[in-house]
Amino acid sequence: MDQRSAEPDPGTGSCPVTLYGEFTAIGPRKVRCAVNLTEKELIVQRLPSAPAGRSKTVLSLEDCVGCRAHREDDGGEPAAYLSAYFYPLRRRWRSSGGSRRQRVEHRFRLTALQDPGANLEEAEKWARSIRERSGRQRCLRDGLMVWELSHPCRMMLLVNPQSGKGQALTLYNNHIQPMLNEAGVPHTLVITERQNHARELVREADLSQWNAVVIMSGDGLLYEVINGLLERADWEEAIQTPLGFLPGGSGNALAASIHHYTGASQVFSEELLISCGFLLCKGLLSRMDLVSVQLSSGPRLFSFLSLAWGFVADVDIESEKYRHVGAARFTVGTLVRLASLRIYKGKLAYLPASKDCSTEGGLRNNMTKQCNNQAPSPASLLRRQSRDSPCQNTLHNSCHSNNSLKVRRAESVPPRSANKGHPGPPASRLLPLDQPLPSDWVVVQEEDFVLMLAMYQSHLAEDLMAAPNATLDDGVIHLTYVTAGISRSALLRLFLAMEKGAHLTSNCQHLVHTEVQALRLEPNSPKGIITVDGEVVEYGPMQAEVHRGLARLITG
Ligand code: ADP
Ligand code: MG
């Protein structure tokens, strides 16, 4: 074996070769090859040297999740092996186009030395170097350090065996367990036994034992975890626990949103799971907005995804009975509900998104920061937010111009904050539900609705991009409502357009989209469904406000 270290590469210029070796690549055929490891790539070239560019494979270390060295019983040969695990994006040849991540293992046999221990040592040196470099790729983005999970990471992985079509455990065994093992991410598997099991578990857990809590289920299980963390006396610290999401349910909206934010083309079901598994192995952290929700009784709830009333909430809950078809249950439910389209009566008001809040975003966005600088804690920002509220510089950002004619400012009242003395961040924009709205709120004049949908992430389901402009921590609730009078066919067109997020530009006269910081809904009909992150909550008056970047999420 020819072995050189830290030598400049005459061919690639800016990317010097740091390790060079000649190994046997183990694939369908065994071929001798020259292997170069640079800061960014693993370059494998067949020997004897083929003309430049031929028989050369360049593997980006950004796609690498792990690498290990090992020995095999090799008939008395002193060989050692090196296995590197990559998940490159591969173009799909189907008519839908796009690309998805696919696992590729690259194995090499090292036999240069007579001593098996020396070969293994050499393979271990390579494995370490590949792991370090692929780790550096994830830390350094555009010259800035990005926050990542600590190493080694102790991860609690909660799996709901009942979610989706009841296949979450099988999906875990087939895809996630091998992937995490290859990436060297130790984790403790916890299988939930009932509803609220995960919520109770994280409420009582000694969180100092865990570097991350990851759920494999639908959005409902993450809703439990977030609420469990925010019910703790030490909620300020608890909600800093990095959270991860692996789609195993029928409603995998956050997984679809995280995938969408990476800029990759749309994927579904197991391809989405592989993408999210890959991002989990990479372990980059971002901030995520949460929304606190006050109902007329009971403690506050915390939401990471959506609030729905009317058509969308009905479809979500009524489609439970089609759970066996997986994510397609929402399509079936939409068609059924369209056939018996209803009108929902109520009052809707909101506090428009403010300029103040968008400048604060400069501080919080992306968790991108110079190495080791401490970003302001969510608690200190929240304290500042409450001092500054209510925001007076309103930016009325409505898609539908008629909307501005049909809203009026609320009456002025002295501010008195709601929900004091409970865990979770203080309410800074909300008055108690029984009090009139502050003067800077906008009251929607219509009282007959088909749906109200408040989103803080891009996707409502794997194939529904309800808020195409939303980002993880924009500090904004993306409020959409559809007023009565829309035809069935127009509503169906809106949902079809939503697959690509095109509904907002569809010029539908009944659809209004606006960006807000807080909202209040007072339904008039005696019975109905309101959902928070797809879970049914008490029906009646409710209000909500956004808490920018309150949680931390493992993303790409
Ligand atoms: P899906 O997207 O398939 O609905 P969710 O993660 O939203 O999957 O889970 C659906 C519901 O199941 C949630 O309300 C969750 O609290 C509940 N749940 C969690 N674990 C279990 C379990 N072991 N048995 C039954 N229900 C559970
Ligand atoms: Mg958002």
Side-chain angles (χ1 to χ4, degrees):
M1 178 175 53
D2 179 9
Q3 173 65 58
R4 287 177 274 149
S5 285
E7 288 191 10
D9 179 14
T12 53
S14 62
C15 226
V17 174
T18 50
L19 276 182
Y20 175 86
E22 289 178 9
F23 313 136
T24 304
I26 315 273
R29 284 187 299 145
K30 292 187 174 134
V31 275
R32 287 295 290 169
C33 53
V35 183
N36 284 320
L37 176 67
T38 70
E39 271 304 313
K40 293 184 171 174
E41 290 159 345
L42 188 67
I43 302 162
V44 183
Q45 188 149 24
R46 273 176 72 168
L47 291 173
S49 295
R54 283 189 42 205
S55 323
K56 183 166 138 180
T57 310
V58 179
L59 306 164
S60 167
L61 294 178
E62 279 203 10
D63 297 330
C64 179
V65 297
C67 188
R68 69 189 179 102
H70 57 106
R71 287 236 332 123
E72 278 175 18
D73 188 10
D74 227 354
E77 271 213 55
Y81 290 82
L82 183 67
S83 295
Y85 309 102
F86 288 78
Y87 284 83
L89 281 168
R90 288 278 160 86
R91 194 165 302 142
R92 210 187 276 117
W93 294 108
R94 279 192 270 128
S95 54
S96 56
S99 52
R100 82 273 193 232
R101 290 203 180 268
Q102 206 173 36
R103 177 185 177 278
V104 184
E105 177 180 353
H106 293 273
R107 283 185 80 209
F108 303 97
R109 191 155 163 261
L110 287 73
T111 48
L113 304 166
Q114 287 310 309
D115 174 13
N119 280 330
L120 184 60
E121 215 170 280
E122 185 62 24
E124 271 163 358
K125 185 174 90 184
W126 272 80
R128 229 177 7 256
S129 302
I130 291 173
R131 283 198 303 268
E132 278 169 15
R133 280 162 183 75
S134 54
R136 275 208 282 279
Q137 290 310 305
R138 68 184 178 219
C139 293
L140 269 170
R141 290 273 164 94
D142 304 325
L144 289 171
M145 194 78 174
V146 184
W147 286 0
E148 61 168 283
L149 281 177
S150 45
H151 294 283
C153 173
R154 286 157 305 160
M155 189 181 277
M156 185 200 292
L157 176 49
L158 291 152
V159 178
N160 171 4
Q162 302 297 329
S163 62
K165 296 187 233 175
Q167 290 179 329
L169 258 182
T170 311
L171 291 170
Y172 165 79
N173 287 325
N174 291 350
H175 298 289
I176 299 303
Q177 190 187 32
M179 197 183 215
L180 291 177
N181 284 347
E182 288 172 355
V185 180
H187 59 282
T188 301
L189 177 68
V190 181
I191 299 171
T192 62
E193 290 161 14
R194 60 196 145 75
Q195 193 165 32
N196 283 326
H197 184 187
R199 186 177 191 148
E200 290 155 18
L201 228 148
V202 298
R203 195 165 55 207
E204 309 301 332
D206 173 5
L207 292 175
S208 67
Q209 299 294 309
W210 305 104
N211 301 113
V213 175
V214 177
I215 68 104
M216 179 154 178
S217 185
D219 299 303
L221 202 64
L222 186 61
Y223 172 76
E224 281 193 19
V225 166
I226 284 173
N227 280 281
L229 292 173
L230 284 162
E231 281 159 9
R232 296 168 60 111
D234 65 346
W235 65 270
E236 256 178 287
E237 221 178 301
I239 199 62
Q240 294 296 308
T241 309
L243 303 172
F245 191 105
L246 294 169
S250 50
N252 302 312
L254 187 62
S257 302
I258 294 170
H259 174 85
H260 170 68
Y261 302 144
T262 66
S265 55
Q266 203 174 25
V267 290
F268 303 103
S269 37
E270 284 181 42
E271 290 181 355
L272 182 60
L273 178 63
I274 302 289
S275 169
C276 290
F278 171 78
L279 298 174
L280 181 65
C281 292
K282 284 294 186 181
L284 293 181
L285 295 180
S286 304
R287 292 222 172 263
M288 176 171 71
D289 295 340
L290 294 183
V291 165
S292 59
V293 182
Q294 289 176 8
L295 307 169
S296 49
S297 68
R300 268 186 316 172
L301 302 172
F302 288 87
S303 163
F304 63 92
L305 185 70
S306 65
L307 282 174
W309 170 63
F311 189 88
V312 171
D314 288 5
V315 166
D316 198 352
I317 300 314
E318 289 164 4
S319 69
E320 278 284 336
K321 52 179 175 282
Y322 312 119
R323 169 173 289 278
H324 58 279
V325 300
R329 80 176 220 218
F330 301 111
T331 313
V332 180
T334 300
L335 295 173
V336 171
R337 199 20 72 210
L338 264 177
S340 51
L341 191 57
R342 279 182 52 199
I343 288 170
Y344 305 81
K345 288 187 175 296
K347 289 201 182 87
L348 178 63
Y350 57 83
L351 178 63
S354 80
K355 283 179 194 153
D356 281 2
C357 295
S358 43
T359 27
E360 193 184 78
L363 282 174
R364 310 293 307 267
N365 247 350
N366 253 344
M367 289 192 64
T368 307
K369 63 185 184 71
Q370 299 292 343
C371 304
N372 301 328
N373 277 354
Q374 285 300 314
S377 80
S380 65
L381 282 161
L382 284 162
R383 278 194 288 275
R384 198 177 69 208
Q385 230 173 40
S386 22
R387 275 203 306 277
D388 295 350
S389 319
C391 299
Q392 295 296 331
N393 291 334
T394 54
L395 173 95
H396 195 176
N397 196 3
S398 216
C399 272
H400 188 275
S401 53
N402 281 354
N403 179 46
S404 50
L405 302 174
K406 296 209 170 180
V407 296
R408 66 177 169 78
R409 296 278 159 181
E411 305 300 316
S412 179
V413 286
R416 181 164 78 76
S417 177
N419 217 86
K420 285 196 181 118
H422 294 283
S428 61
R429 304 168 181 103
L430 301 178
L431 301 179
L433 259 174
D434 57 2
Q435 293 213 357
L437 293 161
S439 58
D440 47 356
W441 282 56
V442 172
V443 180
V444 177
Q445 290 297 281
E446 286 98 342
E447 297 199 356
D448 290 343
F449 297 89
V450 165
L451 67 86
M452 188 280 306
L453 177 63
M455 299 281 309
Y456 355 113
Q457 301 307 334
S458 60
H459 281 66
L460 178 62
E462 283 183 33
D463 57 354
L464 289 177
M465 203 197 298
N469 302 326
T471 58
L472 259 183
D473 70 336
D474 52 15
V476 165
I477 298 175
H478 299 258
L479 174 65
T480 303
Y481 57 89
V482 173
T483 54
I486 190 168
S487 67
R488 284 187 176 86
S489 57
L491 189 58
L492 179 61
R493 277 200 298 280
L494 278 184
F495 275 91
L496 292 174
M498 206 183 272
E499 189 171 333
K500 299 263 180 285
H503 57 296
L504 297 186
T505 48
S506 66
N507 248 339
C508 170
Q509 294 301 299
H510 294 277
L511 179 135
V512 179
H513 178 80
T514 184
E515 295 181 357
V516 311
Q517 306 171 52
L519 61 91
R520 183 185 282 188
L521 171 72
E522 294 168 274
N524 281 341
S525 42
K527 278 205 289 192
I529 297 173
I530 293 176
T531 58
V532 175
D533 299 347
E535 303 292 307
V536 184
V537 296
E538 179 192 11
Y539 180 74
M542 56 143 274
Q543 57 183 0
E545 72 170 300
V546 65
H547 302 275
R548 181 168 218 160
L550 182 58
R552 299 208 292 171
L553 189 73
I554 304 167
T555 55

